[in-house]
Amino acid sequence: MAKLPEEFNLEEIDQEPRGTTLKREILVTLRKNKMASFGLIVIAILVLVAIFAPVIAPYKNAVGFYPEEILKPPSVEHMMGTDDLGRDIFARIVWGSRVSVEVGILAVAFGLIIGLFMGALAGYKGGMADTLIMRTADVFFAFPYILGAIAVMTILGPGLENVIIAIGVLEWAYIARLFRGSVLATKVNDYVEAARAIGADDKRIIMKHILPNAITPVIVYSAMSVGTAIITEAALSFLGVGVQPPRPSWGWMLSDSRAFMSRAPWMMYFPGLAILVTVLGFVLVADGLRDMLDPRLKGMSEHVTRG
Amino acid sequence: MSRYIARRLLQAIPVILGVTLIIFLLMFILPGDPARMLVQKGASPEVLESIREAHGLDKPWYVQYGKYMWNLLQGDFGTSIRYRRPVLDIMKDHYPNSIRLAAVALAIEAVIGIIAGVISAVKRRSFLDILVTLSTTILVAMPIFWFAMLLQVVFGLKWGILPISGMGDGSWRYYVLPAIALASVHTAYTARITRSSMLEVINQDYIRTARAKGLSEKKVILKHALRNALIPVITIIGLDLGGLIGSAILTETVFSWPGVGRVIYLAILQRDPPVVMGGTLILVFIFILLNLLVDISYAYLDPRIKFEGRKVD
Amino acid sequence: MLLEVNNLRTYFYIERGVVKAVDGVSFSIDRGETLAIVGESGSGKSVTALSLLKLIPTPPGKILEGEVFFEGENILDFSEKNLRKIRGNRIAMIFQDPTTSLNPVFTIGDQVMEAILTHQRVPKKIAREKTVKLLEMVGIPQARGRLSDYPHQFSGGMRQRVMIAMALSCEPDILIADEPTTALDVTIQAQILELMGNLQKEFNSATILITHDLGVVAGLADRILVMYAGKPVEYADVNSIYYLPRHPYTLSLMDSVTRLDKSRKKRLQSIKGSPPSLINIPSGCSFHPRCKFATDICHKEVPELIEIKPGHFTACHQVNNADKG
C-alpha cells in the first residue's frame, strides 16, 4: 500500500457533503464501537451490582466462618463455590465490587482534582509555576506505579481510604502532565486570544474557553485510569497492603486462593475474571471515547493511553 | 555525546533529590514514631529515648535529611529491622535474579510484541490482525498476578511440565513461566504501539518512494518502515520499564522468585520499612538510569534527534 | 511508442461510495518527449501517475480497466516481481514533497545507493562512486562529503535534487515527476525544472510532468493532457493548448496563469467555484457547474473526447457542436 497522493485526500472527500455526514458519522461510530458499547454494559452491570449488593447476595454469606461449607466447588447452592472459610465466593465477588467501584471512582476523582488544577496552573501561567509543578511531577514519574503505591501504603497503613489516597497521589502527576500539554496547545488558539482581547479574565478564559477544549484527552485518560486504579487496588490487596479483611476485595480473594490452587482452583478463577472483565470494560470505553472525542486520533484505537 | 550524558545526569539530580525527600518524609516524618520502628514492640520509653538520640531523631528534619542523604551517598540505604543487615547487602544478594528475569521478559516483550504488531499492521483486517488486536486488548486489562496464577495452574499443576516456584538450580525451565507472566501485559502494549506506529509509517511518502524505487515488499516493510516505526515503540518500551519493575514485585511474589520484588513483598509482610523504602529507592535509581539509556538509544535510531534532546527540523 | 496508456480507470472504494479518481485516460509518449498532465487538486493526475506503476494502495484503490504498454508489453499484467524490475529502473518517479519523500532515518548516500544496488549487480564501492557522480550531476556541492548526511540536513531544493539523483540512478527510460517543484521556492523551481530538462536531453528519456500550474510547463512540455474530475478534457500539443485552447476549463486555467507575453494589467484570475466532490461528480459534463458556456445538454450528457483537429482532442459539447455546425 502506497500513500495516496496529496491531491487525493480521502479524509477531505469523506467530509463533504455535510448533510449526510452527521447521520453517517453516528452510524459509523455506533458500528465501530460495538466494543465500547460492550464496555459500557460491563461498567453499568458493575455499578448496579455494587449498588444492589445487599439485594443480590446477603452480606453474611460474604464474611464469617462456616466450617461445614469449606472449599465447596461451584454448585446450585454456591454458584461460584466457597472458600477456605466456607464463605460464598459469589457473595464475596458481589460485595467486592463495591471496593473496586469506590477505589476506581474516588482515586481517579482525587487525582483529577489535584491534577487538573496543577495542570491548568502550569500550562496557563507558565514560568516558575510551570517549572515547579512539572519538576515535582517528574519526581512522581520516577516511581514505577505499583512500587510508588506500595511505598505510600507501607507508611499510611492498609485500608480503603489509604488505597484511594495512594493511587490519587500517583495519578495527579499523569493527569497534570497530560492536561498541561493540552492547555498549552489550546492556549495559542485564536479564540483564546480573542477572548483575552475583549477583556475576559483568567478564570473565565480557563473555564469557558480552555477547559472544554483541553479536557478531551483527560476524559479518555480518566476512563483508562479507573481501570488502572482497580487493578492497582487488587494488586495492593493481593500483596497485603490494600483493603483489609474482613471487607471482601477481589485482590484479597486472589491472595487467599494461592494456598488452595490445586484443591480449590475456583477460588482464583472467579475473582480474577471479575477484575479482568471490569478493567476490560474501562479499556474498551476509553478506546471508544478516544475515537469519538478526539478527531486527531480517530480510527487509531490501537493507541495506548496509559503512559 | 558525553556532554549530553553529563547534562542528562545533572538533570536527574533534582529528581533523585525529590525522590529521596519523599521517601525520607514517608519514612521518618509522616506517621507515628520512627523510633518505634527500630525496636521491638513494648519497649520502654527510656529505650525509645536513647534510640532517638542514637539515631539523631531528636534533631530537626533537615538535619536528619542531610544525614540520610550523606548515608545514601556512602551506599547506606538503611538497616533491615528484621534481619539486622544493611538493606544494600540484602539487595545485592537478590539483584542478579531479578535482572535476569527482567531481561528475559524484556526480550520476550520486544521480540514478540514487535513481530505481532508488524504482522497485525501489514496484514490489516486479516484474521491474524483481529487475533492480535483481540488478545492484546484482553492482556492490557489482565491483572498480571492472576495471569501468573493461571499459568501456574495450567502448566504446573494440570500438565506438570514446568516448575511453578523458585528458581531451583537456575535452569531455563524455571524462567519460562515467570518471564511469560512478567512480559504478558507489556508485550500487549508493545504490540499495540507497534501496530499503530507501523500503520502511520506505512502511509508516509518515503514508503511510497521506497516502493517506487522497485524494492521488494519485504525490504520496504522491514527496512524502511520498521526502522521509523520503532522510534515510538522504543519510547514505550522505555517508559514501560517502570511498569516492568512494578510488575516484577507481583510476578516474583506469585512464583516465589528470589528477587528484589519478593524481598520487598516479604518486607511489607514483616513490617520492615527500611527494606521496603531502600529497595524502592534502588529500583527508582535503576529506573531513572534505564530511562537515560533509552533516551540515548533514540539518537541512534532517529538521526533527527540531536543530543540536545529535541528534534531539529 | 515507448509508453502507451489506453483507457485507464482507477477507482477507490471507500465507506461513502466509489471515487472515480481516474476515469478513462489515454495518452502516449516517446523517447525525448515531455508530456504534461495538468489539472487542479483532485483531478486524478497523481493517481494516473501512480497507476502506471501499480503503486495504488489496494484496497481501497483498484485499477479497473486499461492498459499500460511499455515497449509493447502491458505492465499492468506483470507480476509484482517483474513490476519491481520496472519500478525505479526503467520508469522512475519523483514526488511532490521532498521533505517527506526521503526516509528520515537513512543517509542520502544509502538511499541513492539502494536504488542502484536494487537493480544493478555492482559492488558497493562502484555504486558509491556512481552515487557521488549522480549527486554532482544534480548539483549538490561537495557531494562526496555529504553522502553520510541525513535528509534533514538538506534544504528542500537540495532534497529534491537528491530525489532526482535517485530517480536517475538507473538511467530510466521514463521519468514521472509529480509536482516536483510545488513545495519549493520560485527561484529553486526554475533551477530544478532546468535541471530536469537538461538531464532529459542527456539521457534521451521521456518525462511525464504532473502539475497544477500550466505556467510551469510552457517551456518544457511537448504535449499537454488536461484533466478534470478524473477525466481527460483536452489533449494536444503545447502550442495548441497555449494559443488555441478549446475546452472552457483549459481556457480558465490559462487565465489563471501569469503570462509574461501578455499584458500584466489583466488581473490574475482564479477559477470560479471549487473542484467537484469526487464522490458526487456532477451529472453530464462534470465541469458544467463552473462553466459559463454550459447549456442543457451539459447537464445531461457526458461529452466524449473528440479529435477536433489532427492531434487536438477535447471533450466539450459546446466545442463539438460549434465545430460540427
Side-chain angles (χ1 to χ4, degrees):
Chain A
M1 270 211 300
K3 195 197 179 183
L4 288 170
E6 293 296 328
E7 62 155 4
F8 193 72
N9 190 336
L10 285 181
E11 248 160 61
E12 254 167 47
I13 294 168
D14 249 349
Q15 270 162 15
E16 51 178 352
R18 288 200 86 85
T20 59
T21 313
L22 190 66
K23 216 168 86 191
R24 272 201 93 92
E25 184 116 314
I26 294 168
L27 284 175
V28 168
T29 308
L30 276 180
R31 211 191 59 206
K32 265 191 197 156
N33 285 353
K34 264 187 210 141
M35 301 302 276
S37 317
F38 173 73
L40 268 180
I41 292 170
V42 167
I43 294 172
I45 292 176
L46 175 79
V47 173
L48 288 176
V49 167
I51 293 173
F52 294 108
V55 184
I56 300 167
Y59 187 63
K60 67 172 177 49
N61 291 358
V63 290
F65 179 48
Y66 306 92
E68 66 285 357
E69 300 284 342
I70 282 172
L71 297 180
K72 291 261 166 70
S75 63
V76 182
E77 220 174 314
H78 302 286
M79 58 187 286
M80 294 180 181
T82 62
D83 69 4
D84 56 317
L85 296 179
R87 298 172 293 196
D88 181 53
I89 291 177
F90 175 70
R92 286 177 66 72
I93 287 198
V94 167
W95 285 87
S97 69
R98 289 197 158 184
V99 169
S100 293
V101 170
E102 277 174 45
V103 169
I105 293 172
L106 294 178
V108 173
F110 181 38
L112 275 173
I113 292 169
I114 308 178
L116 285 180
F117 178 73
M118 292 295 184
L121 199 65
Y124 189 70
K125 285 282 178 205
M128 263 309 280
D130 187 21
T131 313
L132 205 66
I133 291 169
M134 291 328 286
R135 291 296 80 78
T136 312
D138 279 347
V139 173
F140 285 83
F141 298 138
F143 285 95
Y145 204 90
I146 290 187
L147 209 58
I150 289 172
V152 178
M153 291 306 293
T154 316
I155 297 306
L156 294 183
L160 183 66
E161 297 75 20
N162 292 346
V163 171
I164 292 168
I165 294 171
I167 295 173
V169 154
L170 291 168
E171 264 318 316
W172 84 265
Y174 291 87
I175 292 166
R177 177 170 64 176
L178 190 65
F179 192 51
R180 169 186 176 267
S182 149
V183 166
L184 280 178
T186 315
K187 198 168 79 167
V188 296
N189 280 332
D190 289 344
Y191 56 82
V192 174
E193 287 299 321
R196 194 169 296 137
I198 60 169
D201 61 16
D202 282 0
K203 198 180 144 203
R204 194 184 154 77
I205 290 176
I206 292 180
M207 298 307 270
K208 270 260 171 194
H209 297 280
I210 293 185
L211 192 69
N213 290 293
I215 199 82
T216 307
V218 180
I219 293 174
V220 176
Y221 177 84
S222 303
M224 189 81 188
S225 297
V226 176
T228 314
I230 289 172
I231 282 204
T232 308
E233 181 277 318
L236 291 174
S237 298
F238 180 79
L239 291 174
V241 288
V243 176
Q244 284 306 87
R247 226 184 148 156
S249 146
W250 297 343
W252 256 114
M253 293 172 74
L254 282 176
S255 180
D256 286 344
S257 76
R258 288 186 62 211
F260 305 95
M261 258 202 287
S262 50
R263 275 172 68 198
W266 57 86
M267 269 180 76
M268 57 166 286
Y269 290 151
F270 296 108
L273 208 59
I275 302 172
L276 172 65
V277 173
T278 302
V279 178
L280 191 62
F282 285 99
V283 170
L284 293 177
V285 167
D287 278 3
L289 277 175
R290 182 181 36 241
D291 284 356
M292 265 185 289
L293 292 177
D294 200 337
R296 281 165 305 161
L297 298 174
K298 217 176 194 177
M300 300 182 68
S301 50
E302 45 281 342
H303 251 296
V304 180
T305 334
R306 190 165 70 174
Chain B
M1 180 70 191
S2 52
R3 265 184 62 201
Y4 171 74
I5 296 174
R7 216 165 46 84
R8 283 302 314 267
L9 283 173
L10 281 177
Q11 280 174 353
I13 288 176
V15 174
I16 290 173
L17 279 178
V19 168
T20 52
L21 189 64
I22 287 177
I23 296 264
F24 172 79
L25 288 174
L26 284 175
M27 257 176 92
F28 290 98
I29 304 287
L30 274 179
D33 184 350
R36 279 188 199 281
M37 289 189 199
L38 300 174
V39 296
Q40 299 295 328
K41 270 190 184 150
S44 67
E46 294 78 38
V47 175
L48 283 176
E49 196 52 46
S50 65
I51 285 197
R52 252 178 228 123
E53 253 172 65
H55 288 83
L57 294 173
D58 46 352
K59 304 261 168 37
W61 73 270
Y62 49 85
V63 175
Q64 292 185 45
Y65 180 62
K67 186 160 178 277
Y68 178 76
M69 284 309 289
W70 180 243
N71 289 340
L72 269 190
L73 280 175
Q74 293 171 322
D76 180 359
F77 284 76
T79 304
S80 161
I81 295 167
R82 190 170 176 95
Y83 301 105
R84 306 262 167 215
R85 276 181 74 196
V87 171
L88 194 64
D89 286 359
I90 298 176
M91 293 295 154
K92 272 183 192 156
D93 291 348
H94 295 88
Y95 252 98
N97 299 336
S98 285
I99 288 173
R100 269 186 229 124
L101 181 61
V104 177
L106 197 64
I108 295 175
E109 173 188 350
V111 173
I112 303 207
I114 290 171
I115 290 176
V118 168
I119 291 176
S120 181
V122 173
K123 304 266 173 222
R124 204 177 173 188
R125 299 205 174 96
S126 68
F127 171 70
L128 271 178
D129 180 26
I130 293 169
L131 190 74
V132 168
T133 310
L134 213 65
S135 50
T136 53
T137 310
I138 290 174
L139 272 181
V140 162
M142 182 75 81
I144 195 165
F145 44 103
W146 186 54
F147 187 64
M149 289 162 74
L150 287 178
L151 290 176
Q152 285 182 320
V153 167
V154 174
F155 292 93
L157 299 178
K158 277 226 170 95
W159 299 347
I161 49 174
L162 286 165
I164 59 168
S165 168
M167 60 187 295
D169 54 1
S171 94
W172 63 270
R173 301 182 58 236
Y174 286 89
Y175 281 85
V176 179
L177 293 185
I180 290 176
L182 184 51
S184 59
V185 178
H186 307 278
T187 307
Y189 274 114
T190 307
R192 276 167 68 125
I193 278 294
T194 306
R195 180 175 186 271
S196 67
S197 172
M198 200 69 186
L199 284 176
E200 208 178 308
V201 167
I202 280 176
N203 274 324
Q204 296 296 315
D205 286 348
Y206 52 79
I207 296 304
R208 188 175 63 190
T209 307
R211 288 210 174 90
K213 249 186 209 181
L215 297 185
S216 66
E217 199 54 24
K218 203 172 117 196
K219 248 192 165 165
V220 171
I221 296 298
L222 294 184
K223 189 178 168 189
H224 284 261
L226 190 58
R227 177 81 185 267
N228 283 282
L230 278 184
I231 295 165
V233 174
I234 298 293
T235 317
I236 286 299
I237 293 181
L239 283 172
D240 211 32
L241 285 171
L244 204 67
I245 292 171
S247 307
I249 295 188
L250 295 162
T251 315
E252 291 183 4
T253 301
V254 174
F255 289 99
S256 307
W257 189 262
V260 181
R262 184 172 159 77
V263 169
I264 292 177
Y265 168 66
L266 289 176
I268 293 171
L269 293 187
Q270 295 159 350
R271 312 233 172 270
D272 197 346
V275 175
V276 179
M277 291 305 172
T280 303
L281 201 52
I282 293 172
L283 286 179
V284 170
F285 287 163
I286 290 179
F287 181 44
I288 292 173
L289 194 72
L290 285 173
N291 273 338
L292 177 65
L293 290 177
V294 170
D295 278 0
I296 292 169
S297 71
Y298 295 154
Y300 288 102
L301 274 173
D302 187 351
R304 286 165 299 181
I305 296 169
K306 286 283 135 198
F307 284 113
E308 290 86 61
R310 62 191 156 85
K311 280 197 176 184
V312 219
D313 224 310
Chain C
M1 260 321 141
L2 181 62
L3 184 81
E4 199 177 319
V5 177
N6 291 326
N7 197 27
L8 188 66
R9 274 179 219 279
T10 305
Y11 291 2
F12 287 83
Y13 297 86
I14 59 173
E15 223 154 68
R16 291 199 33 234
V18 181
V19 177
K20 299 176 178 178
V22 180
D23 202 9
V25 169
S26 306
F27 58 84
S28 60
I29 186 167
D30 219 336
R31 268 181 205 288
E33 281 186 341
T34 297
L35 169 79
I37 303 181
V38 182
E40 284 171 296
S41 159
S43 62
K45 53 194 194 302
S46 291
V47 178
T48 304
L50 290 174
S51 301
L52 298 184
L53 286 172
K54 264 184 142 174
L55 285 171
I56 295 295
T58 314
K62 197 178 174 211
I63 300 175
L64 283 185
E65 209 185 313
E67 291 143 341
V68 177
F69 287 106
F70 177 63
E71 293 184 323
E73 283 181 287
N74 184 0
I75 56 178
L76 293 185
D77 288 343
F78 277 23
S79 67
E80 185 64 19
K81 200 176 159 212
N82 285 331
L83 264 171
R84 285 207 299 269
K85 288 181 189 155
I86 306 268
R87 287 180 193 149
N89 188 25
R90 310 292 307 278
I91 304 178
M93 268 189 101
I94 306 170
F95 297 101
Q96 174 169 352
D97 189 350
T99 55
T100 55
S101 293
L102 287 164
N103 195 324
V105 302
F106 295 110
T107 64
I108 59 126
D110 281 345
Q111 294 188 56
V112 178
M113 257 164 70
E114 187 181 38
I116 299 170
L117 291 170
T118 302
H119 298 292
Q120 294 171 7
R121 286 203 169 164
V122 292
K124 256 195 159 167
K125 221 176 136 190
I126 294 185
R128 176 178 289 270
E129 284 314 306
K130 195 167 176 199
T131 302
V132 174
K133 275 202 197 103
L134 281 162
L135 292 176
E136 278 167 356
M137 187 178 73
V138 297
I140 288 179
Q142 282 120 39
R144 190 176 297 274
R146 304 214 63 180
L147 284 183
S148 54
D149 281 353
Y150 289 93
H152 71 270
Q153 290 163 303
F154 289 79
S155 69
M158 283 295 155
R159 274 186 244 190
Q160 197 60 302
R161 285 169 195 264
V162 173
M163 283 295 291
I164 294 174
M166 199 159 82
L168 294 177
S169 60
C170 296
E171 292 163 29
D173 301 290
I174 301 174
L175 180 66
I176 303 173
D178 186 359
E179 305 258 12
T181 59
T182 309
L184 304 176
D185 285 350
V186 183
T187 45
I188 315 270
Q189 276 187 21
Q191 290 172 16
I192 295 284
L193 290 173
E194 194 192 329
L195 173 71
M196 284 176 47
N198 293 341
L199 293 171
Q200 181 185 11
K201 271 176 217 140
E202 205 175 315
F203 290 110
N204 190 29
S205 56
T207 304
I208 298 175
L209 182 65
I210 290 158
T211 177
H212 65 278
D213 185 357
L214 260 180
V216 162
V217 299
L220 287 169
D222 300 298
R223 254 170 312 133
I224 294 177
L225 172 69
V226 181
M227 284 182 72
Y228 188 81
K231 288 194 172 68
V233 294
E234 189 153 15
Y235 180 41
D237 64 282
V238 66
N239 287 331
S240 306
I241 294 279
Y242 268 80
Y243 299 105
L244 283 169
R246 300 302 303 273
H247 195 282
Y249 177 61
T250 316
L251 280 168
S252 50
L253 272 183
M254 290 305 299
D255 279 339
S256 62
V257 169
T258 339
R259 287 175 67 167
L260 299 175
D261 56 338
K262 277 196 180 164
S263 128
R264 284 287 187 89
K265 276 176 203 154
K266 200 172 144 194
R267 240 186 108 204
L268 197 68
Q269 282 193 341
S270 60
I271 305 170
K272 253 197 318 189
S274 53
S277 150
L278 288 178
I279 286 263
N280 295 309
I281 293 179
S283 61
C285 170
S286 43
F287 187 60
H288 83 255
R290 298 164 78 185
C291 181
K292 45 188 167 186
F293 309 107
T295 59
D296 266 1
I297 187 172
C298 303
H299 294 252
K300 288 172 193 150
E301 281 177 40
V302 181
E304 275 179 69
L305 192 70
I306 286 173
E307 191 162 15
I308 49 167
K309 268 192 330 189
H312 191 152
F313 298 80
T314 178
C316 174
H317 291 302
Q318 304 307 326
V319 174
N320 295 349
N321 288 341
D323 285 11
K324 267 182 219 159

